[in-house]
Amino acid sequence: MSDEPLVLGIETSCDETGVGLVRGHTLLADAVASSVDEHARFGGVVPEVASRAHLEAMVPTIERACETAGVSLGDVDAIAVTSGPGLVGALLVGVAAAKALSVGLDKPLYGVNHLASHVAVDQLEHGPLPEPCLAMLVSGGHSSLLLVEDVTTGVEPLGSTIDDAAGEAFDKVARLLGLPFPGGPHIDRAARSGSSVAIDFPRGLTSRRDLERHRFDFSFSGLKTAVARWVEARESSGEPVPVGDVAASFQEAVCDVLVRKALDACVDRGVEDLLIGGGVAANSRLRSLAEERAAKHGIRVRVPRPGLCTDNGAMVAALGAEMVVRGREPSTLDIPADSSLPVTEVLL
Ligand code: KG4
Ligand code: ZN
């Protein structure tokens, strides 16, 4: 029997009910139930619908994770849960379930930060995390650049989006082009049949003046508006919209800015490892552009496989296991679900 801790992680910050089981750095199970189909007709996540779906999925997802890992709840050494940030009603379901398990099993509880979990998950795939590293987290809910000195205690935010998240921009542009929700994978696919230089879409917050105040921040709402105007102009002139070209040129504008700013932050802070996480990290162009440009600066890029990039329970278990291994004090049973938990609070 291994003496590494067996940690059960619960994630319910948005529309995925995730339950993961991790022993040390080894992934044993990653069960995810998504309510994404229930939100599709609304073009975005409906909080009340997500909360209800978490309630229904929680117990079956825990059972599925245990079955896959071949363990019983009695074997678990600690419970970790996403305390925030996220949708408060959705977070509450996970936090309540984790507290119940902690009390019922008499095992320590770790209430952790969702963003730090997106960073910690990478070690399930690529081994111990290089620290310090620069983490770029890009999803439907967040776009942040983080300097990670110690994933269990020291995460410093360098920048984030000042309007839409990167994934949100993908979803909104996909909608404009008549592609289904969530739009990211559809834009990624459509872009393969188009040209990334067909349309010169704006790169947000990259002018010299903007860089003075927002060197490591992002803005995607101007880009989204530019795409909307371009498509409208085409439609009103009766010409067909070249979906592939719009998708490829839009995707290039997003990836160009993300990679440029992430590498600028690495160079500025003297960090040699860039980690990319969150749903948008699954984007094929983002991965290839980051690798191509990072190589020129001698910077290594780590991107977890797509299933670990999107929200899941294994990432929470991974961070929980790291808390146990590094001897961090567990949380108390009165921890809240904090929808706007700052990234500097890695453990509640
Ligand atoms: O991390 P995630 O599953 O959930 C949160 O938003 O927290 O990320 C979902 C987001 C959606 O906006 C989706 O469109 C985007 O990630 N996404 C992608 C790709 N796959 C998922 N965006 C661009 N390219 C992709 N291949
Ligand atoms: Zn996330």
Side-chain angles (χ1 to χ4, degrees):
M1 206 56 200
S2 159
D3 52 9
E4 290 184 298
L6 176 64
V7 179
L8 180 134
I10 298 179
E11 154 63 36
T12 62
S13 68
C14 192
D15 58 342
E16 263 95 30
T17 312
V19 178
L21 278 156
V22 164
R23 193 186 291 284
H25 288 170
T26 309
L27 174 63
L28 302 183
D30 181 20
V32 178
S34 176
S35 59
V36 68
D37 294 342
E38 293 174 55
H39 308 287
R41 70 192 170 101
F42 302 104
V45 176
V46 183
E48 281 304 315
V49 174
S51 307
R52 189 177 297 253
H54 286 309
L55 263 181
E56 284 165 8
M58 183 57 65
V59 171
T61 311
I62 293 173
E63 286 170 350
R64 195 148 52 84
C66 287
E67 219 173 272
T68 307
V71 303
S72 73
L73 281 176
D75 301 326
V76 169
D77 297 307
I79 312 291
V81 64
T82 302
S83 283
L87 303 169
V88 72
L91 288 166
L92 269 170
V93 179
V95 170
K99 287 180 181 176
L101 284 171
S102 169
V103 172
L105 301 169
D106 193 22
K107 294 294 167 173
L109 172 71
Y110 293 84
V112 300
N113 192 297
H114 179 81
L115 298 181
S117 302
H118 269 302
V119 178
V121 73
D122 187 62
Q123 55 191 5
L124 299 179
E125 193 171 356
H126 298 122
L129 210 61
E131 288 169 334
C133 67
L134 200 292
M136 176 163 70
L137 301 182
V138 274
S139 74
H142 25 264
S143 312
S144 328
L145 283 180
L146 310 171
L147 180 64
V148 183
E149 296 277 358
D150 177 331
V151 73
T152 62
T153 55
V155 177
E156 180 194 339
L158 300 182
S160 64
T161 179
I162 61 166
D163 41 55
D164 293 348
E168 209 178 341
F170 272 94
D171 296 337
K172 287 177 177 170
V173 166
R175 198 173 185 179
L176 280 172
L177 294 175
L179 301 169
F181 173 84
H186 298 280
I187 298 253
D188 200 344
R189 214 166 302 130
R192 281 177 211 151
S193 64
S195 160
S196 62
V197 293
I199 311 156
D200 188 16
F201 285 130
R203 269 60 170 164
L205 297 184
T206 56
S207 73
R208 190 183 302 173
R209 205 159 138 236
D210 284 334
L211 287 174
E212 278 170 20
R213 279 189 57 214
H214 292 292
R215 183 168 172 190
F216 301 129
D217 290 326
F218 303 106
S219 166
F220 298 109
S221 86
L223 170 60
K224 172 199 65 193
T225 307
V227 177
R229 291 228 176 91
W230 197 93
V231 170
E232 273 161 31
R234 263 297 165 115
E235 281 169 345
S236 57
S237 69
E239 288 173 88
V241 175
V243 172
D245 284 347
V246 175
S249 301
F250 158 77
Q251 176 172 278
E252 194 67 17
V254 175
C255 296
D256 177 25
V257 176
L258 289 175
V259 172
R260 239 197 267 182
K261 296 208 173 203
L263 292 177
D264 184 27
C266 287
V267 172
D268 184 60
R269 295 304 180 105
V271 173
E272 290 175 348
D273 291 275
L274 169 64
L275 193 149
I276 309 179
V280 180
N283 185 268
S284 58
R285 181 60 183 151
L286 181 61
R287 283 176 179 232
S288 63
L289 194 64
E291 274 160 17
E292 186 188 304
R293 291 194 192 160
K296 292 184 190 143
H297 296 275
I299 291 166
R300 294 173 289 266
V301 180
R302 292 172 48 137
V303 190
R305 65 173 179 269
L308 294 179
C309 279
T310 50
D311 291 350
N312 63 80
M315 66 191 215
V316 183
L319 183 55
E322 211 47 36
M323 295 289 175
V324 178
V325 169
R326 299 193 194 182
R328 306 290 175 237
E329 249 337 273
S331 307
T332 51
L333 273 177
D334 58 358
I335 53 165
D338 185 346
S339 62
S340 52
L341 185 68
V343 68
T344 45
E345 277 192 58
V346 178
L347 172 64
L348 261 76

